[in-house]
Amino acid sequence: MAEETLRDVTAGLAGLTLQGVSKIQASLTEEGKVPEYLILGFNSEDPQIQKASVIQIRRILGNSPSEAAQPVIDTGLVPAIVSLLDSEDTRLQCEAAWIVTNIASGTTQQTEQVIDAGAIPRLIILSASPHADVADHAVWALGNVLGDCARIRDRVEEEGGIAALIKLVDRREPSFEKVQKTAMWALFCYLNPLPSRKLPITRIKHVLLCMARYIQETPVNKANMESIEYAVQSLDRICGHDLQRTDFIATGVVPRLVKLLADSSSSTTLQKQVLKCLVYVVSGSDDDTDVAVDAGLLPGLLVPLETKNPDLCRLALRTASNVAAGSLSQVYALLDSGLLKPVVCILMDDQESTRCRREACWTISTLTKKVPGDSRVAQAFIEGCCVEALSAALLISDLKVKELAVSGITNVLEWKPPQGSGADESPLTILRSASGPQNLRAVRDSRDVHDKMIKKDCQGLLTRYFPDCSRRARV
């Protein structure tokens, strides 16, 4: 070692005491390497110098994990760092687990370095430590390892890591709330729904039950919000692993999800995740949808619609359209809930996003399928200004909206008010008053609409119902 380098190393070692460690701002060298004095300090027989070196290595990684992971690996210290997880010193255990966490946030090759050094079984043991800080750091590391790839995820599971995390989530001790929440996040990482990481549902049913228990038993407040968000999002991820709706419903979590949706203390993020799960439920059979409807889903949808948050509105409207496609009793429940009015308002509001207006049009167009066969639905449809809304939708510059509007108008014009029904106006009369013929002609003649089928359908409606408006203007 050159004399000048030796002097620098000695100067660095001189500051490596637990009292002076906070004064040193260790960083990678200009060559992108871990300073030599930290490597020497780590191998020192002086416990204080070794601990100070570990702390500084952890800080280097914490400041720039993506840049520092490989330089730390290149020191050859990873096996020794992992062995510190067996230390009787809880501070060293925490620092070592923290370093493992940051290395495991890198590439698969970098994560494999800590795994090959024996990190997984040690981290699982530490996750059950009576010291909350030690357990929490171990769980963070497990979460990062689980999030890497399917092969590494499977290895953690085979060694008992998932079972250990479930025990932590089910643990109901105030002193371990932080660990419980970190375990929730780690299980969320385990459930990554990418096609390359898909899991057989038999392997994750116990995780489903764990998440459902947590959601049902945990009060909604600021302290718990993030972990409940992860729990509900985990349910959504489990659905992506080909979960059967009957298994989802059997957990008993659906009524709780409906309550979370309508709870004013729920965050916007939580409401979004809840709606994704409820969309999954109501896109199944009528029996599946009945579970959500009976739990109060439809009045609950008014809450996200009133927030004016585009994502929430879109998901709420998609949920409503799925219910509208269900049984007649479900359609009646939708009408009784008062949902139709805000749906119509969204469709007719030029200030709403196109995506929301498309979902609103989908809901109304779906309802029209019930209009010809049921006078109650027809009357509510007319009184709710749905015919006018469909006419207005023809002018929205979105091809799908136009398609849905034409389909809805076709359905609703099939209904003829029975004699003595008390209907003041027929759909045909209302549509004419709402500029329906002109709007149909506008779609038919538009140079911006290239779908020939829509143009043909518009012409068919004009020929059949409005022959006086069916001819093209002479140029």
Side-chain angles (χ1 to χ4, degrees):
M1 183 181 292
E3 183 179 347
E4 184 178 350
T5 305
L6 179 62
R7 193 181 306 119
D8 292 341
V9 170
T10 304
L13 281 170
L16 279 175
T17 64
L18 292 181
Q19 291 77 18
V21 73
S22 63
K23 298 177 183 178
I24 301 175
Q25 298 298 322
S27 59
L28 295 176
T29 65
E30 291 182 1
E31 294 79 21
K33 297 181 178 181
V34 175
E36 186 70 23
Y37 73 86
L38 290 182
I39 300 172
L40 292 174
F42 185 95
N43 293 316
S44 171
E45 294 182 1
D46 185 326
Q48 282 207 338
I49 290 179
Q50 184 190 46
K51 187 182 290 187
S53 298
V54 173
I55 292 170
Q56 290 295 358
I57 290 171
R58 185 264 297 166
R59 286 180 177 171
I60 289 174
L61 272 165
N63 291 334
S64 182
S66 60
E67 294 179 11
Q70 193 57 47
V72 170
I73 291 170
D74 291 342
T75 64
L77 293 176
V78 169
I81 290 169
V82 170
S83 71
L84 291 177
L85 296 171
D86 296 329
S87 173
E88 294 181 359
D89 186 323
T90 56
R91 177 67 187 273
L92 275 177
Q93 288 178 324
C94 287
E95 294 292 343
W98 203 334
I99 291 172
V100 170
T101 299
N102 285 330
I103 293 176
S105 68
T107 66
T108 296
Q109 290 73 24
Q110 290 169 341
T111 302
E112 285 173 336
Q113 293 291 321
V114 295
I115 291 174
D116 292 344
I120 292 175
R122 289 178 167 98
L123 291 172
I124 292 172
I125 291 170
L126 283 189
S127 71
S129 169
H131 302 283
D133 283 345
V134 173
D136 190 56
H137 280 86
V139 173
W140 268 109
L142 282 172
N144 272 2
V145 172
L146 282 166
D148 191 275
C149 68
R151 176 172 48 81
I152 292 176
R153 172 205 65 194
D154 292 348
R155 186 167 171 181
V156 175
E157 184 175 9
E158 289 164 4
E159 297 197 32
I162 303 306
L165 292 171
I166 289 174
K167 285 182 180 178
L168 287 170
V169 172
D170 286 337
R171 192 169 180 172
R172 296 288 173 175
E173 295 177 32
S175 60
F176 271 76
E177 282 185 5
K178 183 180 178 183
V179 184
Q180 181 189 46
K181 292 172 182 177
T182 308
M184 180 69 67
W185 165 79
L187 287 171
F188 170 78
C189 296
Y190 164 72
L191 294 167
N192 191 317
L194 287 173
S196 62
R197 302 197 57 176
K198 215 157 198 181
L199 288 159
I201 200 64
T202 52
R203 279 175 58 182
I204 54 178
K205 273 193 176 180
H206 58 313
V207 184
L208 169 68
L209 295 173
C210 170
M211 296 298 170
R213 282 194 300 273
Y214 184 84
I215 293 166
Q216 290 171 301
E217 297 171 6
T218 305
V220 180
N221 55 45
K222 189 175 181 180
N224 295 330
M225 192 63 66
E226 186 176 21
S227 56
I228 296 177
E229 290 170 359
Y230 274 124
V232 176
Q233 194 169 355
S234 293
L235 288 185
D236 182 47
R237 284 190 163 193
I238 292 172
C239 295
H241 290 276
D242 299 329
L243 175 71
Q244 295 294 314
R245 287 178 182 81
T246 50
D247 290 332
F248 185 96
I249 291 169
T251 65
V253 77
V254 172
R256 176 61 172 162
L257 291 175
V258 171
K259 287 183 179 178
L260 290 175
L261 178 64
D263 191 330
S264 59
S265 59
S266 293
S267 68
T268 299
T269 299
L270 178 57
Q271 288 178 313
K272 287 179 187 176
Q273 297 306 325
V274 165
L275 279 168
K276 287 182 180 180
C277 290
L278 292 173
V279 166
Y280 167 75
V281 172
V282 300
S283 60
S285 68
D286 285 348
D287 288 342
D288 297 334
T289 302
D290 278 338
V291 174
V293 171
D294 292 345
L297 167 65
L298 295 167
L301 291 177
L302 291 169
V303 176
L305 289 180
E306 290 168 357
T307 64
K308 296 300 181 182
N309 179 288
D311 290 333
L312 280 178
C313 286
R314 179 175 54 82
L315 287 167
L317 290 164
R318 181 170 297 177
T319 309
S321 67
N322 279 329
V323 175
S327 66
L328 199 55
S329 64
Q330 290 164 4
V331 171
Y332 288 163
L334 188 152
L335 298 176
D336 292 340
S337 70
L339 266 175
L340 196 54
K341 182 177 179 180
V343 172
V344 169
C345 288
I346 289 170
L347 180 55
M348 299 186 75
D349 187 351
D350 291 338
Q351 301 305 309
E352 292 283 353
S353 72
T354 299
R355 295 178 72 189
C356 284
R357 297 179 82 185
R358 184 189 307 145
E359 294 293 346
C361 194
W362 209 308
T363 302
I364 294 172
S365 183
T366 302
L367 274 177
T368 64
K369 296 174 184 178
K370 301 288 195 302
V371 168
D374 191 274
S375 58
R376 179 181 170 187
V377 177
Q379 198 62 31
F381 198 86
I382 289 172
E383 292 175 356
C385 299
C386 296
V387 178
E388 293 91 333
L390 288 174
S391 177
L394 290 167
L395 301 183
I396 296 174
S397 58
D398 180 271
L399 185 61
K400 188 62 182 179
V401 174
K402 294 179 190 296
E403 179 186 322
L404 290 166
V406 170
S407 175
I409 290 169
T410 302
N411 290 334
V412 80
L413 289 179
E414 294 291 333
W415 182 67
K416 306 297 181 186
Q419 292 290 335
S421 64
D424 295 329
E425 293 183 285
S426 70
L428 188 64
T429 304
I430 296 171
L431 190 62
R432 186 179 286 277
S433 299
S435 302
Q438 292 86 342
N439 295 345
L440 287 167
R441 286 181 63 176
V443 175
R444 183 198 65 185
D445 299 337
S446 174
R447 294 181 179 179
D448 296 324
V449 177
H450 304 292
D451 190 308
K452 293 181 180 179
M453 185 58 69
I454 290 180
K455 289 175 175 284
K456 181 179 177 181
D457 289 343
C458 287
Q459 179 60 43
L461 288 170
L462 287 166
T463 301
R464 182 177 178 184
Y465 297 104
F466 309 101
D468 56 313
C469 300
S470 64
R471 291 185 180 180
R472 296 180 181 275
R474 295 181 65 182
V475 179

